[in-house]
Amino acid sequence: MHPALSVIAFTTASGAGYGLLAFLGLLAPMGWLPGSTGFALLATGLALAAIAGGLLSSTLHLGHPERAWRALSQWRSSWLSREGLAAVLTFVPAGLFAAAWVFGGVASALLGLLAAVGAVATVYCTAMIYASLKPVQRWHNGWVAPNYLAMAAMTGALWLHLLCRLFAFPAPAVALLAVVATACALALKLGYWRFIDTTAAASTPESATGLGRIGKVRLLEAPHTSENYLLEEMGFRIARKHAARLRVIALVAGFAVPLLLALLALLSDGLAGALAAVLAAPIATAGVLVERWLFFAEARHTVMLYYGAAAA
Amino acid sequence: MTSLPQPAMGKKLGLVIDLDICVGCHACAVNCKEWNTGGHAAPLTDRDPYGSDPAGVWFNRIHSFEAGDGAAGRTVHFPKSCLHCEQPACVEVCPTGASYKRSEDGIVLVNEDLCIGCKLCSWACPYGAREYDWDQGVMKKCTLCIDRIYNERLEVEERVPACVSTCPASARHFGDLGDPDSKVSAIVRERGGYDLLPELGYKPVNKYLPPRSPRTAVGSTGAAASLAPVVKAEPGGFLHWIDRILSR
């Protein structure tokens, strides 16, 4: 599948934003976070900016962005519509929570909980857009939604830890959260890769054409000599060629290095720990960008069976 | 509404494609493009149409496959267009309601005035039936020539999809596959018409008729087992004499 940059940027940024928002909504009312107005402003501002920026960027790949509001209408059947609706609805408690915390100095437990629930729901809807697509076996499985949720939690927790350290606030609970979330995300990503590497293809050229009754099926002649939309959108191969190397990059930058840095930050209260916490979040975010690129590039669509692919 | 209509619809208009007699001439694809660039989903735009790398929107594509090996191997020309599925995920994933399935005849259409061009429907279609129009920023697809089949300005025999009307080999049939007594339903029953990618559960309405078994046995084509002698030479006659001279 063709990795649209706007979609990759959107899911990474809004994932981190929703993760951060959820933890702010849950932890701030418990008094586990710095109480200063500056922290409240920066933390809620960062979360809402990442979410809003991501949502805006997602409209860039539309043919008609000016009609984007129509996407809120079909929530009964469409996960994309549900995602849009969840995103819009989450802005209400999230905005009120941020305003009350920044301007009133009160981190409301109710608004925070509602914002956190909305954040989780929105990320889940994003994941289900992919997980509901039967023609892409590598998306249509039970690993996708947990992976999206875990990566949102990981990047959100790492960014929250970074902010705490910037405000010289000792937050061992947040540090532990970052370690646990990163370890979970790593385990789920490894599980996903193991799944796609070991699962037999659901469809073949034989089932796509129904000609398996005659024998092995292979493409003799494509219907057209030049590219078309289907080949550009579903037949993307550039990143797949480098999939092994990109997996190492995603694994190291997205999960392994952030996990080590988060551990260091958990164990060290001093400068080394602070430095580790400050480095972990941006490195993990860059790694997740690569991972998201791979998520698209490694996905195989059944339509390619009609264009000579051996499995999908 | 992108929720699917209730199964009240009995009518399932669609195509039956005979892989035994399709000759792979691409005439159906050409006539489809010709009709539809002026029809319901018009225009079917092209990118770089007169340049070195043209690409454009087509509703019908003719793939050619080889199946089997050796003497049992076959070349099969394989036309593919929207199958107007009974469970069209392309409709259900549409966030705006632009994609819909008509309850009266089961045809799957796009309302281009509502389409935001998110392309998700094309991801949800396992068959590659939907093609994005880069020029207009909306998704396009086969309309089953809805502007022909109900068109009272056309002669009755012309009220079939453009691909069906143009096929020189009569490899394409159009009709109501929801009616067990229809001609197309009968052909599907007789010839063992089948679904593409049945494992995905989209329940396509269009059916494909498999190639017939090859006739390789002696006499199976209706011709004699061996050719008759060129010269029927009566013993002692003139031809017999010629035959003897020439056979030396």
mmCIF file with all atom_site columns, all heavy atoms in Angstrom, chain A residues 13-34:
data_model
loop_
_atom_site.group_PDB
_atom_site.id
_atom_site.type_symbol
_atom_site.label_atom_id
_atom_site.label_alt_id
_atom_site.label_comp_id
_atom_site.label_asym_id
_atom_site.label_entity_id
_atom_site.label_seq_id
_atom_site.pdbx_PDB_ins_code
_atom_site.Cartn_x
_atom_site.Cartn_y
_atom_site.Cartn_z
_atom_site.occupancy
_atom_site.B_iso_or_equiv
_atom_site.pdbx_formal_charge
_atom_site.auth_seq_id
_atom_site.auth_comp_id
_atom_site.auth_asym_id
_atom_site.auth_atom_id
_atom_site.pdbx_PDB_model_num
ATOM 1   N N   . ALA A 1 13 ? 1.515  11.812 14.837 1.00 0.00 ? 13 ALA A N   1
ATOM 2   C CA  . ALA A 1 13 ? 1.345  13.009 15.675 1.00 0.00 ? 13 ALA A CA  1
ATOM 3   C C   . ALA A 1 13 ? 0.116  12.894 16.549 1.00 0.00 ? 13 ALA A C   1
ATOM 4   O O   . ALA A 1 13 ? 0.164  13.151 17.764 1.00 0.00 ? 13 ALA A O   1
ATOM 5   C CB  . ALA A 1 13 ? 1.248  14.246 14.787 1.00 0.00 ? 13 ALA A CB  1
ATOM 6   N N   . SER A 1 14 ? -1.004 12.501 15.962 1.00 0.00 ? 14 SER A N   1
ATOM 7   C CA  . SER A 1 14 ? -2.218 12.459 16.777 1.00 0.00 ? 14 SER A CA  1
ATOM 8   C C   . SER A 1 14 ? -2.137 11.306 17.772 1.00 0.00 ? 14 SER A C   1
ATOM 9   O O   . SER A 1 14 ? -2.672 11.405 18.882 1.00 0.00 ? 14 SER A O   1
ATOM 10  C CB  . SER A 1 14 ? -3.470 12.357 15.898 1.00 0.00 ? 14 SER A CB  1
ATOM 11  O OG  . SER A 1 14 ? -3.533 11.101 15.284 1.00 0.00 ? 14 SER A OG  1
ATOM 12  N N   . GLY A 1 15 ? -1.445 10.219 17.406 1.00 0.00 ? 15 GLY A N   1
ATOM 13  C CA  . GLY A 1 15 ? -1.267 9.128  18.366 1.00 0.00 ? 15 GLY A CA  1
ATOM 14  C C   . GLY A 1 15 ? -0.532 9.619  19.603 1.00 0.00 ? 15 GLY A C   1
ATOM 15  O O   . GLY A 1 15 ? -0.971 9.378  20.734 1.00 0.00 ? 15 GLY A O   1
ATOM 16  N N   . ALA A 1 16 ? 0.591  10.327 19.385 1.00 0.00 ? 16 ALA A N   1
ATOM 17  C CA  . ALA A 1 16 ? 1.348  10.873 20.519 1.00 0.00 ? 16 ALA A CA  1
ATOM 18  C C   . ALA A 1 16 ? 0.503  11.879 21.294 1.00 0.00 ? 16 ALA A C   1
ATOM 19  O O   . ALA A 1 16 ? 0.499  11.899 22.532 1.00 0.00 ? 16 ALA A O   1
ATOM 20  C CB  . ALA A 1 16 ? 2.632  11.525 20.009 1.00 0.00 ? 16 ALA A CB  1
ATOM 21  N N   . GLY A 1 17 ? -0.234 12.717 20.554 1.00 0.00 ? 17 GLY A N   1
ATOM 22  C CA  . GLY A 1 17 ? -1.075 13.741 21.199 1.00 0.00 ? 17 GLY A CA  1
ATOM 23  C C   . GLY A 1 17 ? -2.159 13.113 22.052 1.00 0.00 ? 17 GLY A C   1
ATOM 24  O O   . GLY A 1 17 ? -2.383 13.529 23.202 1.00 0.00 ? 17 GLY A O   1
ATOM 25  N N   . TYR A 1 18 ? -2.839 12.088 21.527 1.00 0.00 ? 18 TYR A N   1
ATOM 26  C CA  . TYR A 1 18 ? -3.900 11.445 22.297 1.00 0.00 ? 18 TYR A CA  1
ATOM 27  C C   . TYR A 1 18 ? -3.330 10.677 23.491 1.00 0.00 ? 18 TYR A C   1
ATOM 28  O O   . TYR A 1 18 ? -3.941 10.636 24.566 1.00 0.00 ? 18 TYR A O   1
ATOM 29  C CB  . TYR A 1 18 ? -4.718 10.507 21.407 1.00 0.00 ? 18 TYR A CB  1
ATOM 30  C CG  . TYR A 1 18 ? -5.725 11.231 20.546 1.00 0.00 ? 18 TYR A CG  1
ATOM 31  C CD1 . TYR A 1 18 ? -5.688 11.148 19.159 1.00 0.00 ? 18 TYR A CD1 1
ATOM 32  C CD2 . TYR A 1 18 ? -6.708 12.018 21.132 1.00 0.00 ? 18 TYR A CD2 1
ATOM 33  C CE1 . TYR A 1 18 ? -6.610 11.832 18.375 1.00 0.00 ? 18 TYR A CE1 1
ATOM 34  C CE2 . TYR A 1 18 ? -7.632 12.702 20.357 1.00 0.00 ? 18 TYR A CE2 1
ATOM 35  C CZ  . TYR A 1 18 ? -7.573 12.607 18.975 1.00 0.00 ? 18 TYR A CZ  1
ATOM 36  O OH  . TYR A 1 18 ? -8.476 13.283 18.212 1.00 0.00 ? 18 TYR A OH  1
ATOM 37  N N   . GLY A 1 19 ? -2.150 10.070 23.308 1.00 0.00 ? 19 GLY A N   1
ATOM 38  C CA  . GLY A 1 19 ? -1.513 9.393  24.431 1.00 0.00 ? 19 GLY A CA  1
ATOM 39  C C   . GLY A 1 19 ? -1.198 10.373 25.547 1.00 0.00 ? 19 GLY A C   1
ATOM 40  O O   . GLY A 1 19 ? -1.492 10.126 26.725 1.00 0.00 ? 19 GLY A O   1
ATOM 41  N N   . LEU A 1 20 ? -0.616 11.496 25.158 1.00 0.00 ? 20 LEU A N   1
ATOM 42  C CA  . LEU A 1 20 ? -0.279 12.532 26.140 1.00 0.00 ? 20 LEU A CA  1
ATOM 43  C C   . LEU A 1 20 ? -1.546 13.062 26.820 1.00 0.00 ? 20 LEU A C   1
ATOM 44  O O   . LEU A 1 20 ? -1.599 13.205 28.052 1.00 0.00 ? 20 LEU A O   1
ATOM 45  C CB  . LEU A 1 20 ? 0.477  13.662 25.428 1.00 0.00 ? 20 LEU A CB  1
ATOM 46  C CG  . LEU A 1 20 ? 0.946  14.842 26.276 1.00 0.00 ? 20 LEU A CG  1
ATOM 47  C CD1 . LEU A 1 20 ? 1.814  14.386 27.436 1.00 0.00 ? 20 LEU A CD1 1
ATOM 48  C CD2 . LEU A 1 20 ? 1.713  15.853 25.421 1.00 0.00 ? 20 LEU A CD2 1
ATOM 49  N N   . LEU A 1 21 ? -2.574 13.329 26.003 1.00 0.00 ? 21 LEU A N   1
ATOM 50  C CA  . LEU A 1 21 ? -3.828 13.859 26.550 1.00 0.00 ? 21 LEU A CA  1
ATOM 51  C C   . LEU A 1 21 ? -4.432 12.888 27.573 1.00 0.00 ? 21 LEU A C   1
ATOM 52  O O   . LEU A 1 21 ? -4.871 13.296 28.663 1.00 0.00 ? 21 LEU A O   1
ATOM 53  C CB  . LEU A 1 21 ? -4.823 14.101 25.413 1.00 0.00 ? 21 LEU A CB  1
ATOM 54  C CG  . LEU A 1 21 ? -6.229 14.545 25.839 1.00 0.00 ? 21 LEU A CG  1
ATOM 55  C CD1 . LEU A 1 21 ? -6.186 15.940 26.441 1.00 0.00 ? 21 LEU A CD1 1
ATOM 56  C CD2 . LEU A 1 21 ? -7.196 14.492 24.663 1.00 0.00 ? 21 LEU A CD2 1
ATOM 57  N N   . ALA A 1 22 ? -4.426 11.600 27.231 1.00 0.00 ? 22 ALA A N   1
ATOM 58  C CA  . ALA A 1 22 ? -5.022 10.606 28.129 1.00 0.00 ? 22 ALA A CA  1
ATOM 59  C C   . ALA A 1 22 ? -4.292 10.585 29.474 1.00 0.00 ? 22 ALA A C   1
ATOM 60  O O   . ALA A 1 22 ? -4.927 10.567 30.536 1.00 0.00 ? 22 ALA A O   1
ATOM 61  C CB  . ALA A 1 22 ? -4.979 9.224  27.474 1.00 0.00 ? 22 ALA A CB  1
ATOM 62  N N   . PHE A 1 23 ? -2.953 10.594 29.417 1.00 0.00 ? 23 PHE A N   1
ATOM 63  C CA  . PHE A 1 23 ? -2.202 10.554 30.676 1.00 0.00 ? 23 PHE A CA  1
ATOM 64  C C   . PHE A 1 23 ? -2.366 11.841 31.472 1.00 0.00 ? 23 PHE A C   1
ATOM 65  O O   . PHE A 1 23 ? -2.442 11.814 32.709 1.00 0.00 ? 23 PHE A O   1
ATOM 66  C CB  . PHE A 1 23 ? -0.726 10.262 30.399 1.00 0.00 ? 23 PHE A CB  1
ATOM 67  C CG  . PHE A 1 23 ? -0.482 8.843  29.966 1.00 0.00 ? 23 PHE A CG  1
ATOM 68  C CD1 . PHE A 1 23 ? 0.281  8.563  28.836 1.00 0.00 ? 23 PHE A CD1 1
ATOM 69  C CD2 . PHE A 1 23 ? -1.031 7.781  30.669 1.00 0.00 ? 23 PHE A CD2 1
ATOM 70  C CE1 . PHE A 1 23 ? 0.495  7.251  28.426 1.00 0.00 ? 23 PHE A CE1 1
ATOM 71  C CE2 . PHE A 1 23 ? -0.823 6.470  30.272 1.00 0.00 ? 23 PHE A CE2 1
ATOM 72  C CZ  . PHE A 1 23 ? -0.056 6.203  29.148 1.00 0.00 ? 23 PHE A CZ  1
ATOM 73  N N   . LEU A 1 24 ? -2.430 12.984 30.778 1.00 0.00 ? 24 LEU A N   1
ATOM 74  C CA  . LEU A 1 24 ? -2.664 14.249 31.483 1.00 0.00 ? 24 LEU A CA  1
ATOM 75  C C   . LEU A 1 24 ? -4.018 14.213 32.175 1.00 0.00 ? 24 LEU A C   1
ATOM 76  O O   . LEU A 1 24 ? -4.150 14.587 33.346 1.00 0.00 ? 24 LEU A O   1
ATOM 77  C CB  . LEU A 1 24 ? -2.624 15.426 30.494 1.00 0.00 ? 24 LEU A CB  1
ATOM 78  C CG  . LEU A 1 24 ? -1.256 15.803 29.917 1.00 0.00 ? 24 LEU A CG  1
ATOM 79  C CD1 . LEU A 1 24 ? -1.423 16.889 28.854 1.00 0.00 ? 24 LEU A CD1 1
ATOM 80  C CD2 . LEU A 1 24 ? -0.319 16.280 31.019 1.00 0.00 ? 24 LEU A CD2 1
ATOM 81  N N   . GLY A 1 25 ? -5.027 13.738 31.434 1.00 0.00 ? 25 GLY A N   1
ATOM 82  C CA  . GLY A 1 25 ? -6.380 13.717 31.984 1.00 0.00 ? 25 GLY A CA  1
ATOM 83  C C   . GLY A 1 25 ? -6.501 12.808 33.196 1.00 0.00 ? 25 GLY A C   1
ATOM 84  O O   . GLY A 1 25 ? -7.277 13.064 34.112 1.00 0.00 ? 25 GLY A O   1
ATOM 85  N N   . LEU A 1 26 ? -5.706 11.718 33.208 1.00 0.00 ? 26 LEU A N   1
ATOM 86  C CA  . LEU A 1 26 ? -5.796 10.769 34.322 1.00 0.00 ? 26 LEU A CA  1
ATOM 87  C C   . LEU A 1 26 ? -4.886 11.156 35.484 1.00 0.00 ? 26 LEU A C   1
ATOM 88  O O   . LEU A 1 26 ? -5.267 11.033 36.656 1.00 0.00 ? 26 LEU A O   1
ATOM 89  C CB  . LEU A 1 26 ? -5.440 9.360  33.828 1.00 0.00 ? 26 LEU A CB  1
ATOM 90  C CG  . LEU A 1 26 ? -6.410 8.745  32.810 1.00 0.00 ? 26 LEU A CG  1
ATOM 91  C CD1 . LEU A 1 26 ? -5.880 7.409  32.304 1.00 0.00 ? 26 LEU A CD1 1
ATOM 92  C CD2 . LEU A 1 26 ? -7.802 8.579  33.414 1.00 0.00 ? 26 LEU A CD2 1
ATOM 93  N N   . LEU A 1 27 ? -3.649 11.612 35.171 1.00 0.00 ? 27 LEU A N   1
ATOM 94  C CA  . LEU A 1 27 ? -2.648 11.803 36.221 1.00 0.00 ? 27 LEU A CA  1
ATOM 95  C C   . LEU A 1 27 ? -2.711 13.177 36.882 1.00 0.00 ? 27 LEU A C   1
ATOM 96  O O   . LEU A 1 27 ? -2.434 13.300 38.080 1.00 0.00 ? 27 LEU A O   1
ATOM 97  C CB  . LEU A 1 27 ? -1.242 11.557 35.663 1.00 0.00 ? 27 LEU A CB  1
ATOM 98  C CG  . LEU A 1 27 ? -1.003 10.158 35.064 1.00 0.00 ? 27 LEU A CG  1
ATOM 99  C CD1 . LEU A 1 27 ? 0.444  10.011 34.627 1.00 0.00 ? 27 LEU A CD1 1
ATOM 100 C CD2 . LEU A 1 27 ? -1.365 9.076  36.061 1.00 0.00 ? 27 LEU A CD2 1
ATOM 101 N N   . ALA A 1 28 ? -3.055 14.227 36.084 1.00 0.00 ? 28 ALA A N   1
ATOM 102 C CA  . ALA A 1 28 ? -3.066 15.576 36.668 1.00 0.00 ? 28 ALA A CA  1
ATOM 103 C C   . ALA A 1 28 ? -4.048 15.689 37.839 1.00 0.00 ? 28 ALA A C   1
ATOM 104 O O   . ALA A 1 28 ? -3.688 16.239 38.889 1.00 0.00 ? 28 ALA A O   1
ATOM 105 C CB  . ALA A 1 28 ? -3.362 16.609 35.584 1.00 0.00 ? 28 ALA A CB  1
ATOM 106 N N   . PRO A 1 29 ? -5.294 15.179 37.692 1.00 0.00 ? 29 PRO A N   1
ATOM 107 C CA  . PRO A 1 29 ? -6.217 15.287 38.829 1.00 0.00 ? 29 PRO A CA  1
ATOM 108 C C   . PRO A 1 29 ? -5.723 14.520 40.065 1.00 0.00 ? 29 PRO A C   1
ATOM 109 O O   . PRO A 1 29 ? -6.121 14.824 41.192 1.00 0.00 ? 29 PRO A O   1
ATOM 110 C CB  . PRO A 1 29 ? -7.510 14.662 38.297 1.00 0.00 ? 29 PRO A CB  1
ATOM 111 C CG  . PRO A 1 29 ? -7.406 14.767 36.821 1.00 0.00 ? 29 PRO A CG  1
ATOM 112 C CD  . PRO A 1 29 ? -5.956 14.607 36.513 1.00 0.00 ? 29 PRO A CD  1
ATOM 113 N N   . MET A 1 30 ? -4.841 13.532 39.865 1.00 0.00 ? 30 MET A N   1
ATOM 114 C CA  . MET A 1 30 ? -4.331 12.782 41.003 1.00 0.00 ? 30 MET A CA  1
ATOM 115 C C   . MET A 1 30 ? -3.148 13.496 41.656 1.00 0.00 ? 30 MET A C   1
ATOM 116 O O   . MET A 1 30 ? -2.585 12.996 42.643 1.00 0.00 ? 30 MET A O   1
ATOM 117 C CB  . MET A 1 30 ? -3.896 11.378 40.541 1.00 0.00 ? 30 MET A CB  1
ATOM 118 C CG  . MET A 1 30 ? -5.073 10.544 40.014 1.00 0.00 ? 30 MET A CG  1
ATOM 119 S SD  . MET A 1 30 ? -4.529 9.106  39.063 1.00 0.00 ? 30 MET A SD  1
ATOM 120 C CE  . MET A 1 30 ? -3.964 8.043  40.375 1.00 0.00 ? 30 MET A CE  1
ATOM 121 N N   . GLY A 1 31 ? -2.730 14.630 41.072 1.00 0.00 ? 31 GLY A N   1
ATOM 122 C CA  . GLY A 1 31 ? -1.640 15.401 41.658 1.00 0.00 ? 31 GLY A CA  1
ATOM 123 C C   . GLY A 1 31 ? -0.270 14.804 41.404 1.00 0.00 ? 31 GLY A C   1
ATOM 124 O O   . GLY A 1 31 ? 0.689  15.112 42.099 1.00 0.00 ? 31 GLY A O   1
ATOM 125 N N   . TRP A 1 32 ? -0.158 13.939 40.379 1.00 0.00 ? 32 TRP A N   1
ATOM 126 C CA  . TRP A 1 32 ? 1.121  13.300 40.084 1.00 0.00 ? 32 TRP A CA  1
ATOM 127 C C   . TRP A 1 32 ? 1.983  14.135 39.150 1.00 0.00 ? 32 TRP A C   1
ATOM 128 O O   . TRP A 1 32 ? 3.099  13.741 38.828 1.00 0.00 ? 32 TRP A O   1
ATOM 129 C CB  . TRP A 1 32 ? 0.910  11.918 39.432 1.00 0.00 ? 32 TRP A CB  1
ATOM 130 C CG  . TRP A 1 32 ? 0.365  10.896 40.383 1.00 0.00 ? 32 TRP A CG  1
ATOM 131 C CD1 . TRP A 1 32 ? -0.133 11.115 41.630 1.00 0.00 ? 32 TRP A CD1 1
ATOM 132 C CD2 . TRP A 1 32 ? 0.284  9.483  40.158 1.00 0.00 ? 32 TRP A CD2 1
ATOM 133 N NE1 . TRP A 1 32 ? -0.536 9.944  42.214 1.00 0.00 ? 32 TRP A NE1 1
ATOM 134 C CE2 . TRP A 1 32 ? -0.281 8.919  41.322 1.00 0.00 ? 32 TRP A CE2 1
ATOM 135 C CE3 . TRP A 1 32 ? 0.621  8.639  39.117 1.00 0.00 ? 32 TRP A CE3 1
ATOM 136 C CZ2 . TRP A 1 32 ? -0.513 7.559  41.469 1.00 0.00 ? 32 TRP A CZ2 1
ATOM 137 C CZ3 . TRP A 1 32 ? 0.391  7.281  39.248 1.00 0.00 ? 32 TRP A CZ3 1
ATOM 138 C CH2 . TRP A 1 32 ? -0.165 6.740  40.413 1.00 0.00 ? 32 TRP A CH2 1
ATOM 139 N N   . LEU A 1 33 ? 1.452  15.254 38.674 1.00 0.00 ? 33 LEU A N   1
ATOM 140 C CA  . LEU A 1 33 ? 2.173  16.063 37.685 1.00 0.00 ? 33 LEU A CA  1
ATOM 141 C C   . LEU A 1 33 ? 2.459  17.439 38.261 1.00 0.00 ? 33 LEU A C   1
ATOM 142 O O   . LEU A 1 33 ? 1.836  17.850 39.247 1.00 0.00 ? 33 LEU A O   1
ATOM 143 C CB  . LEU A 1 33 ? 1.324  16.198 36.414 1.00 0.00 ? 33 LEU A CB  1
ATOM 144 C CG  . LEU A 1 33 ? 0.974  14.882 35.713 1.00 0.00 ? 33 LEU A CG  1
ATOM 145 C CD1 . LEU A 1 33 ? 0.111  15.150 34.497 1.00 0.00 ? 33 LEU A CD1 1
ATOM 146 C CD2 . LEU A 1 33 ? 2.227  14.115 35.332 1.00 0.00 ? 33 LEU A CD2 1
ATOM 147 N N   . PRO A 1 34 ? 3.408  18.181 37.680 1.00 0.00 ? 34 PRO A N   1
ATOM 148 C CA  . PRO A 1 34 ? 3.705  19.531 38.171 1.00 0.00 ? 34 PRO A CA  1
ATOM 149 C C   . PRO A 1 34 ? 2.437  20.383 38.166 1.00 0.00 ? 34 PRO A C   1
ATOM 150 O O   . PRO A 1 34 ? 1.619  20.272 37.254 1.00 0.00 ? 34 PRO A O   1
ATOM 151 C CB  . PRO A 1 34 ? 4.715  20.068 37.152 1.00 0.00 ? 34 PRO A CB  1
ATOM 152 C CG  . PRO A 1 34 ? 5.321  18.857 36.520 1.00 0.00 ? 34 PRO A CG  1
ATOM 153 C CD  . PRO A 1 34 ? 4.271  17.804 36.544 1.00 0.00 ? 34 PRO A CD  1
#
